């Protein structure tokens, strides 16, 4: 049994303009101690997938169907009481912007202790000690002094460390990191990524890393999910995705980023503009931008099919080329 | 007419200080750019990289006199820019593309008015027919559909808005464009479209770019030479390939090794030089070399004296005592 199993998850936002299918049939599983990367562009549904797992969707968003199992326990429809125990305790999340995700009116210490007091039944004194210990763990200098300070007294990198400390204080099984380093500078990003990797090895938790940065994914992740317009295009190990991509969107993404090997050459961009989720085409959502689209791509959505081992892709071209191992995609 | 100089833009000892109130009746200068000198050759792309707060955007804006420089000289095509008339002439040849395609376009103007505004300001047409033709030509340059001329900016996606912004800066038929993080707000697949467009326009129109960005892979791709800034100072300047393959300054070394490479095998094998600590506040920058507080090789000399930017090998400049 996997630590986390997500099966055919559908999440929609019901807006005045109509239903926006932000997550449209996402399935994946996460094993203990692994790092899973979810990559995609803005609006691909990567963050909404994570928010659906945590059930912290904004007002108009609802899980329409599908299942999310944590250690075999179904979370969809489990009720707020169960979710309160899950959030921050068994699954934690850190957000993109460390500048706005801390409350400016409370001290760092108070914010760190909140979750500890809520979930672990420690006394205030013990929670304080635990919070100091967590700050030490994420390499914040003079943790006792820092506990009494307010967020404005911290730099961006330091705030993200506090967020990580807060997320890990209750020793969760899964840490969801939603673009944890996008707002940070490169040298600070390197510090935070190294810290996350070390803590992950030390504490043995699983990480879901949501990012648009293919470099960060290559560096951090064991498994990768590539999303486009709410659906999973392709999933597999980092090697599968980077060295033998099997979906036209993944191939296009990898061709369009500047690397050291395509020096001096023109980049090969993906043509067209991102999809409007209110007007989804009938067939493959990527077909309008795909250079190799066939007639069937415009008519019908490709199913997720197994390519090899844990490598899955939903692309008609694989079927044409006989790359598919047959059978349905799900395990 | 004098013959054209090889250096299109020459910056000498540029300083840009902003007064910051630090108490009652007291203000401290924030040294955003402190004694920076460099040249941009005709037709080249000079990449300017550094982390937030290092002064790279301020350099770009000061060159265009969006800020009045505190000290230093900006020489364009062999002519120093000093008086108001100089600035006005200069702005017919030099322009800027801004970072945020959402806030840099006026939401109450149509696309044709946005692109036409520089033409109106510099009175660069004789008849409204000519103005219209020019706008259509510009929209063609950046791959915008001419039917969109009467639409408003909010009807476009981020990538298309950035194209509108670029068309606006091309309106005056410039020689020199300061591109301030022009692709960092765009999605990866759109980024490549816009980067290619910059490349194509440069070839077609013979443009010179100062390309400011924090994404080092993008800068490496587009630039001929790259300058690295840290806390208002320029610490290294060399050919793009040279600086990536053989960075000399300890800061550049660490900055470049921190870039996550989109290739799992290389990324995992990569030895990163992770710096400790944060960037100091430019309000109380360290004495001597600004990088010394995070530098693994700092000595006493570094605290006393700012190392000068000097040529350590042909065409490769760095400012460090240990080199």
């Amino acid at each position: 049994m996997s630590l986390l199993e997500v099966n055919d998850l559908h999440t929609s936002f019901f807006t005045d303009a109509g239903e926006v299918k932000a997550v449209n049939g996402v399935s994946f599983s996460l094993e203990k101690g692994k790092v899973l990367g979810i990559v995609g562009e803005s609006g691909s549904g990567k963050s909404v997938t994570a928010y659906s797992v945590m059930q912290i969707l904004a007002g108009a968003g609802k899980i329409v169907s599908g299942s999310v199992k944590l250690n075999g326990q179904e979370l969809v429809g489990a009720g707020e009481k169960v979710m309160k125990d899950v959030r921050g305790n068994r699954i934690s999340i850190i957000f993109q912007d460390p500048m706005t995700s801390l409350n400016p009116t409370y001290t760092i210490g108070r914010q760190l202790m909140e979750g500890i007091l809520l979930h672990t039944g420690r006394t205030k004194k013990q929670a304080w000690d635990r919070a100091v210990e967590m700050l030490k763990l994420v390499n914040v200098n003079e943790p006792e002094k820092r506990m009494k300070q307010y967020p404005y007294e911290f730099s961006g990198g330091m705030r993200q460390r506090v967020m990580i400390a807060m997320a890990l204080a209750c020793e969760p099984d899964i840490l969801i990191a939603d673009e944890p380093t996008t707002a940070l500078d490169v040298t600070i990003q390197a510090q935070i990524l190294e810290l996350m990797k070390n803590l992950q090895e030390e504490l043995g938790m699983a990480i879901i890393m949501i990012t648009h940065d293919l470099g960060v994914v290559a560096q951090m992740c064991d498994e990768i999910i590539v999303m486009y317009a709410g659906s999973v295009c392709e999933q597999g190990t980092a090697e599968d995705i980077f060295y033998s991509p099997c979906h036209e969107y993944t191939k296009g993404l990898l061709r369009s980023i500047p690397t050291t090997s395509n020096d001096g050459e023109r980049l090969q961009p993906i043509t067209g503009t991102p999809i409007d989720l209110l007007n989804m085409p009938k067939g493959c959502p990527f077909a309008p931008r795909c250079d190799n689209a066939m007639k069937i791509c415009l008519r019908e959505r490709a199913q997720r099919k197994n390519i090899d081992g844990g490598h899955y892709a939903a692309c008609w071209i694989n079927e044409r080329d006989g790359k598919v191992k047959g059978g349905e995609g799900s395990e | 007419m004098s013959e054209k100089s090889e250096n299109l833009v020459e910056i000498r000892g540029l300083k840009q200080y902003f007064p910051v109130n630090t108490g009652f009746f007291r203000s401290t200068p924030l040294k955003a750019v402190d004694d920076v000198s460099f040249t941009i050759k005709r037709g080249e792309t000079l990449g300017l990289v550094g982390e937030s707060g290092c002064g790279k955007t301020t350099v770009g804006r000061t060159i265009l006199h969006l800020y009045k420089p505190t000290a230093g000289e900006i020489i364009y095509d062999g002519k120093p820019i000093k008086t108001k008339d100089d600035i006005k002439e200069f702005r017919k040849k030099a322009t800027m593309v801004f970072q945020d395609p959402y806030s840099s376009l006026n939401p109450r103007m149509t696309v044709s008015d946005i692109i036409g505004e520089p033409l109106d300001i510099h009175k660069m047409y004789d008849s409204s027919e000519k103005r219209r033709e020019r706008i259509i030509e510009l929209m063609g340059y950046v791959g915008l559909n001419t039917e969109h001329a009467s639409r408003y900016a909010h009807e476009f996606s981020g990538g298309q808005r950035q194209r509108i912004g670029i068309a606006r800066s091309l309106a005056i038929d410039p020689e020199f464009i300061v591109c301030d993080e022009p692709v960092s707000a765009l999605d990866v697949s759109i980024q490549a479209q816009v980067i290619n467009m910059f490349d194509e326009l440069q070839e077609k129109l013979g443009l010179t770019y100062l390309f400011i960005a924090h994404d080092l892979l993008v800068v490496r791709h587009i630039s001929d030479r790259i300058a690295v800034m840290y806390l208002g100072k320029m610490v290294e300047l060399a050919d793009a390939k040279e600086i990536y393959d053989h960075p000399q300054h300890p800061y550049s070394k660490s900055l470049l090794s921190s870039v996550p490479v989109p290739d799992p095998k290389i990324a995992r094998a990569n030895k990163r030089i992770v710096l400790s600590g944060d960037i100091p506040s430019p309000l109380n920058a360290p004495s001597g070399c600004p990088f010394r507080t995070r530098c693994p090789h700092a000595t006493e000399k570094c605290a006393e004296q700012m190392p000068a930017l000097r040529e350590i090998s042909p065409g490769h400049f760095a400012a460090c005592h240990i080199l």
Side-chain angles (χ1 to χ4, degrees):
Chain A
M1 187 174 55
S2 305
L3 181 58
L4 180 76
E5 270 181 60
V6 175
N7 214 331
D8 201 25
L9 184 71
H10 289 260
T11 301
S12 291
F13 287 84
F14 296 92
T15 65
D16 294 341
E19 181 185 353
V20 178
K21 291 181 177 164
V23 175
N24 203 350
V26 168
S27 308
F28 63 86
S29 60
L30 176 65
E31 305 297 329
K32 202 167 172 273
K34 290 278 180 192
V35 183
L36 172 79
I38 304 184
V39 224
E41 299 177 87
S42 37
S44 62
K46 52 193 194 304
S47 292
V48 179
T49 304
Y51 296 174
S52 302
V53 169
M54 293 280 276
Q55 295 186 27
I56 47 170
L57 295 158
K62 282 201 177 61
I63 298 178
V64 179
S65 64
S67 108
V68 177
K69 283 191 180 137
L70 178 63
N71 272 325
Q73 184 191 5
E74 178 62 54
L75 296 183
V76 175
E80 205 42 24
K81 215 175 149 204
V82 176
M83 285 317 294
K84 269 195 179 153
D85 178 51
V86 169
R87 288 185 207 123
N89 193 21
R90 293 163 66 195
I91 309 179
S92 298
I93 188 162
I94 46 179
F95 297 98
Q96 172 173 1
D97 189 357
M99 299 297 166
T100 55
S101 41
L102 290 166
N103 188 328
T105 64
Y106 291 155
T107 60
I108 293 297
R110 182 166 167 184
Q111 298 186 53
L112 271 167
M113 283 160 63
E114 190 184 343
I116 303 171
L117 288 170
L118 190 69
H119 290 300
T120 61
R122 284 182 166 95
T123 63
K124 266 201 163 165
K125 176 76 188 55
Q126 287 167 328
W128 176 275
D129 291 342
R130 173 74 181 155
V132 171
E133 191 190 323
M134 288 314 295
L135 284 181
K136 262 189 210 143
L137 188 69
V138 296
N139 304 328
V140 171
N141 292 330
E142 302 177 85
E144 272 97 358
K145 187 181 140 203
R146 291 301 218 170
M147 286 284 282
K148 293 177 197 152
Q149 289 184 335
Y150 288 87
Y152 76 90
E153 294 170 272
F154 284 64
S155 67
M158 278 297 162
R159 284 185 219 194
Q160 202 57 296
R161 283 167 197 268
V162 171
M163 287 299 294
I164 294 173
M166 206 183 280
L168 298 184
C170 297
E171 298 178 1
D173 298 326
I174 302 172
L175 174 68
I176 300 177
D178 186 6
E179 305 259 10
T181 55
T182 308
L184 305 175
D185 278 316
V186 198
T187 59
I188 308 297
Q189 166 170 288
Q191 290 175 2
I192 297 290
L193 292 180
E194 196 186 59
L195 174 73
M196 285 178 66
K197 195 90 194 164
N198 290 345
L199 289 175
Q200 191 245 341
E201 277 160 20
E202 214 170 291
L203 308 173
M205 65 194 165
I207 297 181
I208 299 180
M209 187 95 185
I210 298 168
T211 178
H212 67 274
D213 188 329
L214 290 161
V216 171
V217 175
Q219 187 183 326
M220 294 287 288
C221 302
D222 306 305
E223 304 248 335
I224 296 171
I225 293 179
V226 182
M227 286 188 73
Y228 186 78
S231 322
V232 174
C233 301
E234 186 168 3
Q235 66 192 94
T237 62
E239 280 79 8
D240 288 338
I241 300 290
F242 279 94
Y243 302 135
S244 46
C246 280
H247 191 286
E248 289 301 304
Y249 176 63
T250 320
K251 290 179 201 164
L253 265 190
L254 291 171
R255 273 196 302 262
S256 66
I257 44 172
T259 60
T260 43
S261 55
N262 60 10
D263 245 5
E265 296 164 28
R266 276 284 141 81
L267 299 173
Q268 297 175 35
I270 301 175
T271 49
T273 52
I275 195 165
D276 175 7
L277 288 171
L278 277 167
N279 285 315
M280 288 269 262
K282 209 165 109 212
C284 170
F286 185 61
R289 297 176 72 189
C290 181
D291 291 333
N292 300 319
M294 304 178 288
K295 271 185 194 150
I296 192 167
C297 301
L298 298 168
R299 237 182 12 242
E300 207 179 318
R301 229 169 227 260
Q303 291 299 311
R304 194 176 87 126
K305 293 279 171 72
N306 188 226
I307 305 290
D308 177 29
H311 189 181
Y312 294 89
C315 185
W316 286 114
I317 289 176
N318 295 326
E319 268 164 74
R320 185 191 68 188
D321 297 349
K323 275 196 190 164
V324 175
K325 278 210 163 160
E328 272 300 294
S330 51
E331 297 104 304
Chain B
M1 282 291 280
S2 62
E3 110 188 25
K4 287 188 173 179
S5 54
E6 190 204 2
N7 293 332
L8 188 64
V9 182
E10 204 176 335
I11 311 296
R12 282 194 204 142
L14 187 70
K15 287 182 187 175
Q16 181 68 60
Y17 297 173
F18 297 108
V20 173
N21 290 330
T22 44
F24 204 50
F25 292 130
R26 234 185 23 191
S27 86
T28 314
L30 186 153
K31 299 179 177 178
V33 176
D34 198 15
D35 202 1
V36 164
S37 305
F38 60 94
T39 56
I40 306 173
K41 293 184 194 126
R42 196 178 285 279
E44 83 165 346
T45 301
L46 179 72
L48 190 55
V49 297
E51 298 179 274
S52 43
C54 73
K56 55 189 191 299
T57 294
T58 308
V59 166
R61 292 183 167 220
T62 308
I63 290 177
L64 290 184
H65 283 258
L66 294 181
Y67 303 131
K68 191 176 183 304
T70 309
E73 252 188 327
I74 295 153
I75 300 158
Y76 185 81
D77 213 356
K79 234 180 89 186
I81 293 159
K82 286 193 183 111
T83 63
K84 261 191 172 164
D85 288 340
D86 291 344
I87 294 172
K88 202 170 172 202
E89 260 325 287
F90 173 51
R91 288 212 183 127
K92 284 188 187 174
K93 294 175 203 146
T95 175
M96 188 152 183
V97 175
F98 296 93
Q99 171 171 8
D100 185 357
Y102 292 87
S103 61
S104 59
L105 301 177
N106 187 336
R108 302 181 64 165
M109 282 163 81
T110 61
V111 170
S112 68
D113 285 338
I114 289 172
I115 299 174
E117 196 179 15
L119 299 173
D120 302 340
I121 290 170
H122 293 291
K123 301 192 179 57
M124 294 178 111
Y125 54 86
D126 334 306
S127 65
S128 61
E129 189 53 35
K130 284 252 168 67
R131 179 178 185 268
R132 211 184 118 69
E133 274 169 22
R134 176 72 180 147
I135 290 169
I136 286 172
E137 183 190 12
L138 288 163
M139 289 180 77
Y141 277 155
V142 296
L144 282 171
N145 201 330
T146 44
E147 292 153 24
H148 294 164
S150 55
R151 293 205 189 168
Y152 291 89
H154 72 89
E155 298 171 66
F156 295 89
S157 66
Q160 285 173 310
R161 283 175 200 224
Q162 200 55 293
R163 286 169 194 265
I164 299 170
I166 294 167
R168 171 176 62 187
S169 44
L170 292 176
I172 56 167
D173 200 6
E175 295 171 331
F176 174 58
I177 302 182
V178 175
C179 311
D180 186 9
E181 307 252 14
V183 296
S184 51
L186 306 177
D187 268 320
V188 188
S189 70
I190 306 300
Q191 245 184 29
Q193 294 177 4
V194 176
I195 292 170
N196 279 354
M197 202 172 68
F198 274 113
D199 269 340
E200 282 154 22
L201 289 170
Q202 180 164 44
E203 274 170 28
K204 193 150 65 179
L205 306 172
L207 298 169
T208 304
Y209 294 137
L210 175 65
F211 198 93
I212 302 166
H214 69 270
D215 186 328
L216 296 152
L217 288 171
V218 168
V219 174
R220 179 199 153 106
H221 183 85
I222 201 161
S223 308
D224 300 307
R225 290 190 304 150
I226 291 175
V228 182
M229 283 186 73
Y230 186 81
L231 267 188
K233 306 257 194 214
M234 189 163 284
V235 296
E236 192 160 358
L237 172 71
D239 279 347
K241 203 164 162 16
E242 166 79 7
I243 209 164
Y244 271 83
D245 296 345
H246 310 286
Q248 294 298 321
H249 195 280
Y251 175 65
S252 317
K253 279 185 186 170
S254 148
L255 184 72
L256 294 168
S257 77
S258 302
V259 179
V261 188
D263 185 324
K265 277 183 196 148
I266 299 176
R268 284 174 200 154
N270 197 357
K271 280 263 170 290
R272 270 169 288 281
I273 309 167
V274 177
L275 294 173
S276 56
D278 283 319
I279 307 167
S281 157
L283 264 181
N284 53 38
S287 63
C289 172
F291 185 57
R292 71 178 168 85
T293 53
R294 298 172 80 196
C295 181
H297 315 288
T299 60
E300 272 173 34
K301 194 181 175 195
C302 302
E304 287 157 12
Q305 204 185 345
M306 170 64 201
L309 191 71
R310 60 194 175 81
E311 196 161 8
I312 50 168
S313 60
H316 193 146
F317 298 82
C320 184
H321 286 307
I322 62 163
L323 294 174

